[in-house]
Each structure stands twice: as structure tokens, then as C-alpha cells.
């Protein structure tokens, strides 16, 4: 088959909004999105196969709840530890090649695990170590795929595209456990990891068919450390991203209880075994798929926070149902609604995160979003496993359900993200009237001084706008910002911005968005001097 080029099927031409806004399946009309969505489905089938096989193998190596729960911790902790560097790499390297490399890493990890099982070397600590290595591959893969999706669809289609990613994730939650359970029962656990390796390699070669259009980088690639710093600064200065991160951390800290303890729930049910575990996972996946298909209508009825609260309420009730389920039928019903509630909350928060990020920092921002998910999941898995160890499975799940609902209600009430949405589309053309001067012949930090003449009667309102300007400058990568007031001339204010280098100074112009341009116009509306504010640039001498 010939390679697929994005320019052959531009998403803007293919993905025209349907008559019913945000139709759930609309993005699949674009061949490039369809290709990568199929790859994402295959990759997640591998992930679930590996998770099921690892969790079930751990129950054959030990009966301790804490060891079983630590399988999820080992799988998710790398995403928390490597989230910032993996997001920075996904933003500064070629995203297509980086995605292929992560697939081959996962294949290599599966091959090593196969060898350890075949040679009868596997034990609980080694299984955790190899699960951790597999988690490294997941940590490197997730941010780059999240950053690619908005390249393939228009902004109105982004919620539907993220919903389709949820379908892929949860269809794989059905397919992966079913395949893994069948292989474990018929051939043995090792063959799950063999198939995992083969599918990971196949996914890598499928991605190679995509010919991504390369974007010019006139300033060259960012340095890794600088890219990491800027990514963290952006999230720190974004009220919307901070609010999303708090919500997602609270949600996954408590929802991880079900996933971490589900193998033991399955074993505790009458006649429970690998097939029961697979059935419960498949029920969660089926619930999530049904919920994704209903999400467009739910979004029309409720905004993000009311939808998140209702999803959390359903998740708490479902978790409590699983905790007290007397037989498999009730547990299946509880898992079905757990899956529906989980995807409702996760998709709402994921879309909100995507819409809060400009493209230049998208992978870094989404990596920190994923860090929130995986860090909370890793801590939650260990926490609820320990609670189950000192009490019981039912008590641990019941405590998680109640505390999860109460915590989310408090967060939604007291952690706000500000009014409206900013226009984060690029606004480079808006800055063309004031291009920076030629690069100086010396290197060092760059200090920019911008002088404003402000009516003292409007000084308070001006300072409010300048605090918003501070957040914008730091979001774009400045390392320091101050507003100076001339005590001898009360109408004179000087904005001082410090950039890491001349190149990083120029990058701030390339990172500006339409919202930054609108903020600039608001600043200039206060200036009453002749012409534009005077701008002076200095290079710090060492």
C-alpha cells in the first residue's frame, strides 16, 4: 500500500462539521486520522494484553494484595517520572519517528519478558521491573500521540476525535483481555507477550506509512532542558491547565482502586478465575464505549464541571456496587457503569486540557496531564492495596468510592480556572509590525525594557492587565518578569522581561497566540505617550 500523506487529505477539507455538532464518528472520514486511530487501537490492545497477563501472573507468584496492586503502580509510575522529558522530546523531535521508536521499545520489552518466562527466571520483583520497563515505553508514547491528534482534525472535531481515542482505548479493554484470557487458558501466559511483541512491531511499521509534513524550524530545535523549563512554566501560568490537573489527579487517585484490586475481586467471586477477570475488564470497556457514543449529547446538556461531577457520582456508586457484589452478574453490571463513568470524566478533562494548549507546547502540556493521571493512579493503587491488606477488599473499595465523590465536589467548588476560553491560534502575523532587531554579536541573557506612560487615575486597572501580561510572558518562556514604577514620574511604568538567550527571545515571538495579541492591544490602550511604548533591549555581560 502506498504511504499516506497528510496534504493529500487535508482535515480542513474532509472534516467539515456535520449537521449534528460533534458527531461521534465524524473524524474517521479522514484517512490519516483513520490510519493512526487504527494504530492507536492496536497499541492499546497490546497494552491491555500486557497488563492483564502481568496482573494475572502476579497472582500466581504471590497472594499478597500489595504485590498485586504494585503491578499497576509499576506500569503507571514511569509516566509520572518521565512525563516532562518525554513531552519535551515529543515537541522538539520529529513526532512520527519518535512514535515509531516507542513502539519498538515496547516490542523489545515484551521479548525480554518472554525470555524470562521461557527460562523459568520470572519472579515477583523481576515481573515488576519488566512491567516498569514496559511503562517507560508507554510514558514515551502517550504525549506524542496526544500532540498529533489536533494536527489531524479541526478544532470543532477535537472532542469527537478524543472520544474516538476513548473508544479505541476501551475497545482494546475488551479485545485485549479477551485475547489474553484465551491465550492464558489455552497456551500459557508467555504467548500473550509473544503476540504483544508482534503487534507492537506491526504498529511501528504502520506508522512508517504516514508521511507527516515537516514544519520549518528557522531557530533550530529547542534544547531539552530549556524545553522542559518552558513546558513547566506554561502549565504553572495557565489557570485552566492547573484546574484540569487537580481534577484529573483527584479522579484517578480514587478510580484506581477498582483497576488495581480487580484481579482479587475476580478471584473472590464464586468460580472466579482468569475468565472472570477478563469478563469484568470487558464489561468496563463496553460501558466506556457506550458512554463515548453518548458524550456529544451529554456535552450539549452540561458543561465540563457538571458533567465531571455527575460522572464521579456514577463512578462512586458503581465502585460501591463492585465492592459488595454477591456474584459475577452484579459485579459485571458495576464494572459496566464504572467504565461509562470513567470515560465520561476522563474525556471531559482531556478535551479541556487539549483546548488549553497551543500547538508549540501541546506534547509537554499533555505529558503533564498524563503525569497527573499516572502519578495519581500509581499512588492510588498502592494506597488502596495497602488499605485492602490491613482491612478487606470491600472496605478499600467503599472508602475509595465515598472519598472520591467528596474530594471531587470540594475541588469543583474551590478550584476554578477563570472565565471563557482564550484563542490559542498562532498570531505571528500580528507581531510582524514590531520584529526584533538583528542578533547581537555577543551572547548572554537578554533584558527587554518596555516603557509605558499611564494616566495615574487608571493605574490600578493597568496593573491588573500587567499581571495578566506577566503570566503571558512567562508562559512564552521568559525566565523573569517585573513591573517597575518610577517614583519621580508617577505616570511612568517600565516592564522588564528577561530571556535566557537571544534565540529564546526570538522564540517568544513565534509562540505568541491570538490571545497574546489581544492582550497587547489592551496594554497599548492604557499608553498615552506619543507613538508606541519605547522598547530597549540589553545583553547581560558576564
Amino acid at each position: 500500500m502506498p504511504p499516506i500523506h497528510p496534504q493529500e487529505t487535508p482535515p480542513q477539507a474532509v472534516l467539515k462539521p456535520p449537521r449534528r455538532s460533534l458527531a461521534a464518528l465524524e473524524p474517521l472520514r479522514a484517512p490519516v486520522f483513520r490510519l493512526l486511530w487504527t494504530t492507536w487501537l492496536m497499541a492499546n490492545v497490546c497494552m491491555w494484553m500486557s497488563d492483564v497477563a502481568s496482573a494475572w501472573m502476579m497472582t500466581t507468584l504471590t497472594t499478597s494484595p500489595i504485590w498485586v496492586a504494585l503491578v499497576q503502580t509499576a506500569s503507571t509510575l514511569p509516566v509520572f517520572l518521565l512525563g516532562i522529558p518525554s513531552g519535551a522530546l515529543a515537541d522538539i523531535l520529529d513526532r512520527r519517528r519518535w512514535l515509531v521508536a516507542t513502539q519498538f521499545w515496547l516490542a523489545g520489552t515484551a521479548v525480554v519478558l518472554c525470555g524470562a518466562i521461557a527460562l523459568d527466571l520470572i519472579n515477583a520483583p523481576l515481573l515488576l521491573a519488566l512491567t516498569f520497563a514496559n511503562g517507560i515505553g508507554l510514558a514515551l508514547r502517550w504525549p506524542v500521540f496526544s500532540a498529533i491528534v489536533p494536527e489531524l482534525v479541526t478544532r470543532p472535531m477535537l472532542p469527537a476525535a478524543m472520544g474516538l481515542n476513548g473508544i479505541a482505548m476501551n475497545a482494546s479493554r475488551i479485545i485485549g483481555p479477551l485475547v489474553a484470557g484465551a491465550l492464558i487458558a489455552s497456551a500459557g501466559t508467555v504467548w500473550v507477550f509473544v503476540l504483544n511483541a508482534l503487534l507492537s512491531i506491526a504498529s511501528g511499521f504502520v506508522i512508517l506509512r504516514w508521511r507527516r509534513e515537516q514544519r520549518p524550524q528557522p531557530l533550530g530545535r529547542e534544547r531539552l532542558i530549556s524545553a522542559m523549563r518552558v513546558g513547566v512554566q506554561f502549565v504553572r501560568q495557565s489557570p485552566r491547565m492547573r484546574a484540569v490537573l487537580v481534577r484529573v489527579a483527584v479522579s484517578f487517585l480514587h478510580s484506581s482502586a477498582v483497576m488495581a484490586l480487580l484481579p482479587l475481586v475476580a478471584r473472590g467471586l464464586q468460580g472466579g478465575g482468569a475468565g472472570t477477570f477478563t469478563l469484568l475488564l470487558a464489561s468496563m470497556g463496553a460501558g466506556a464505549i457506550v458512554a463515548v457514543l453518548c458524550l456529544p449529547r451529554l456535552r450539549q446538556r452540561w458543561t465540563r464541571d457538571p458533567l465531571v461531577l455527575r460522572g464521579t457520582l456514577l463512578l462512586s456508586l458503581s465502585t460501591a456496587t463492585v465492592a459488595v457484589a454477591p456474584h459475577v452478574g452484579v459485579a459485571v453490571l458495576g464494572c459496566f457503569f464504572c467504565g461509562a463513568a470513567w470515560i465520561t470524566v476522563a474525556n471531559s478533562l482531556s478535551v479541556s486540557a487539549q483546548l488549553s494548549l497551543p500547538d508549540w507546547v501541546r506534547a509537554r502540556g499533555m505529558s503533564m496531564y498524563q503525569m497527573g493521571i499516572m502519578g495519581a493512579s500509581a499512588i492510588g493503587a498502592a494506597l488502596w492495596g495497602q488499605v485492602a491488606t490491613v482491612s478487606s477488599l470491600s472496605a478499600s473499595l467503599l472508602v475509595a468510592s465515598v472519598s472520591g465523590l467528596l474530594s471531587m465536589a470540594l475541588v469543583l467548588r474551590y478550584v476554578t480556572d477563570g472565565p471563557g476560553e482564550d484563542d490559542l491560534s498562532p498570531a505571528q502575523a500580528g507581531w510582524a509590525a514590531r520584529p526584533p532587531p538583528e542578533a547581537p554579536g555577543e551572547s548572554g541573557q537578554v533584558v527587554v525594557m518596555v516603557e509605558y506612560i499611564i494616566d495615574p487615575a487608571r493605574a490600578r486597572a493597568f496593573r491588573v492587565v500587567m499581571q495578566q501580561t506577566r503570566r503571558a510572558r512567562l508562559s512564552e518562556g521568559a525566565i523573569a518578569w517585573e513591573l517597575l514604577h518610577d517614583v519621580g514620574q508617577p505616570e511612568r511604568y517600565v516592564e522588564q522581561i528577561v530571556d535566557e538567550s537571544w534565540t529564546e527571545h526570538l522564540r517568544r515571538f513565534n509562540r505568541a497566540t491570538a490571545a497574546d495579541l489581544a492582550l497587547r492591544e489592551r496594554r497599548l490602550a492604557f499608553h498615552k505617550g506619543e507613538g508606541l511604548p519605547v522598547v530597549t533591549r540589553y545583553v547581560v555581560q558576564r
Side-chain angles (χ1 to χ4, degrees):
M1 296 177 68
I4 292 184
H5 297 263
Q7 59 268 31
E8 295 175 358
T9 54
Q12 291 80 2
V14 177
L15 298 181
K16 295 180 179 179
R19 290 183 180 178
R20 290 187 60 187
S21 176
L22 302 178
L25 304 179
E26 186 69 14
L28 289 175
R29 293 173 58 191
V32 179
F33 178 83
R34 190 166 59 244
L35 170 78
L36 294 181
W37 182 84
T38 303
T39 305
W40 184 240
L41 173 62
M42 193 182 306
N44 282 292
V45 167
C46 293
M47 181 186 72
W48 280 107
M49 287 171 51
S50 179
D51 285 353
V52 169
S54 297
W56 193 254
M57 177 173 285
M58 185 60 79
T59 66
T60 66
L61 298 174
T62 177
T63 57
S64 170
I66 187 63
W67 277 98
V68 175
L70 283 175
V71 171
Q72 182 174 337
T73 299
S75 177
T76 57
L77 189 58
V79 181
F80 178 76
L81 297 176
L82 300 176
I84 294 176
S86 66
L89 288 169
D91 272 331
I92 64 180
L93 298 178
D94 180 86
R95 289 174 178 171
R96 168 178 166 272
R97 293 179 181 178
W98 187 243
L99 190 56
V100 171
T102 63
Q103 288 301 114
F104 290 154
W105 172 280
L106 293 169
T109 303
V111 169
V112 173
L113 187 52
C114 290
I117 297 172
L119 297 173
D120 199 25
L121 300 175
I122 199 69
N123 53 44
L126 180 59
L127 178 59
L128 284 181
L130 292 174
T131 302
F132 186 87
N134 187 74
I136 291 175
L138 299 177
L140 299 177
R141 180 182 71 186
W142 198 91
V144 65
F145 189 85
S146 297
I148 284 172
V149 171
E151 295 183 17
L152 309 177
V153 298
T154 56
R155 185 180 177 91
M157 287 292 101
L158 184 58
M162 298 301 294
L164 284 169
N165 286 348
I167 287 182
M169 183 72 175
N170 289 281
S172 67
R173 185 182 293 199
I174 298 174
I175 299 169
L178 287 175
V179 174
L183 285 174
I184 292 171
S186 62
T189 306
V190 65
W191 290 102
V192 176
F193 299 110
V194 170
L195 182 58
N196 192 353
L198 293 175
L199 288 177
S200 295
I201 293 172
S203 297
F205 282 109
V206 169
I207 297 169
L208 286 173
R209 292 186 53 234
W210 174 36
R211 295 293 180 260
R212 180 172 178 261
E213 184 178 356
Q214 296 297 317
R215 298 181 179 181
Q217 295 181 321
L219 299 176
R221 289 177 178 170
E222 295 181 68
R223 294 182 295 109
L224 178 60
I225 299 301
S226 179
M228 292 167 57
R229 173 187 63 79
V230 173
V232 172
Q233 279 188 201
F234 183 92
V235 172
R236 287 184 61 188
Q237 299 301 325
S238 170
R240 297 191 68 83
M241 278 300 297
R242 293 200 307 270
V244 168
L245 290 179
V246 173
R247 285 158 172 75
V248 79
V250 167
S251 177
F252 279 81
L253 177 68
H254 296 89
S255 65
S256 63
V258 174
M259 284 304 305
L261 299 174
L262 201 60
L264 295 174
V265 171
R267 275 196 179 277
L269 294 169
Q270 185 176 1
T276 305
F277 181 41
T278 301
L279 177 61
L280 295 180
L281 281 175
S283 299
M284 293 183 73
I289 290 174
V290 171
V292 166
L293 296 176
C294 298
L295 275 175
R297 182 168 296 179
L298 293 177
R299 287 196 195 95
Q300 292 175 351
R301 185 171 182 179
W302 293 302
T303 57
R304 184 198 65 189
D305 283 356
L307 189 57
V308 167
L309 183 59
R310 286 164 173 78
T312 303
L313 174 61
L314 179 59
L315 183 60
S316 296
L317 294 174
S318 305
T319 301
T321 301
V322 173
V324 299
H327 52 76
V328 174
V330 175
V332 165
L333 185 65
C335 285
F336 178 89
F337 285 106
C338 274
W342 173 82
I343 196 63
T344 299
V345 175
N347 182 265
S348 299
L349 296 176
S350 179
V351 170
S352 183
Q354 288 278 15
L355 296 178
S356 302
L357 295 164
D359 187 65
W360 65 267
V361 75
R362 191 177 302 281
R364 281 166 278 188
M366 293 307 294
S367 72
M368 280 177 263
Y369 171 83
Q370 186 71 355
M371 283 175 63
I373 291 178
M374 295 305 187
S377 297
I379 294 171
L383 171 64
W384 303 119
Q386 184 61 32
V387 172
T389 300
V390 300
S391 57
S392 66
L393 283 176
S394 297
S396 182
L397 291 172
L398 288 172
V399 171
S401 66
V402 174
S403 62
L405 180 59
L406 293 177
S407 300
M408 185 60 75
L410 290 174
V411 166
L412 294 178
R413 180 176 178 84
Y414 293 108
V415 181
T416 59
D417 54 4
E421 292 184 4
D422 293 329
D423 184 354
L424 300 180
S425 57
Q428 296 178 23
W431 301 96
R434 294 180 60 203
E438 295 296 325
E442 47 195 331
S443 61
Q445 292 183 347
V446 176
V447 179
V448 183
M449 311 291 284
V450 185
E451 181 179 332
Y452 301 91
I453 305 300
I454 306 298
D455 183 351
R458 304 182 66 196
R460 178 173 295 182
F462 174 72
R463 287 194 294 268
V464 171
V465 172
M466 293 308 290
Q467 285 305 308
Q468 297 172 357
T469 299
R470 174 185 179 275
R471 288 196 295 269
R473 305 292 200 200
L474 295 176
S475 296
E476 293 164 0
I479 61 176
W481 184 96
E482 288 182 314
L483 181 63
L484 309 177
H485 185 201
D486 190 335
V487 295
Q489 295 179 265
E491 72 279 4
R492 183 171 177 267
Y493 287 80
V494 178
E495 178 187 11
Q496 178 177 289
I497 314 157
V498 182
D499 290 310
E500 186 177 34
S501 66
W502 187 260
T503 300
E504 292 303 310
H505 173 61
L506 297 182
R507 287 193 201 282
R508 284 203 295 108
F509 287 84
N510 293 338
R511 292 167 178 163
T513 65
D516 295 322
L517 187 59
L519 181 58
R520 173 177 178 264
E521 296 303 316
R522 291 173 60 195
R523 286 196 304 273
L524 294 180
F526 286 93
H527 178 65
K528 66 174 188 177
E530 296 182 3
L532 294 173
V534 176
V535 179
T536 310
R537 294 174 176 87
Y538 304 89
V539 176
V540 177
Q541 299 291 307
R542 296 297 183 187

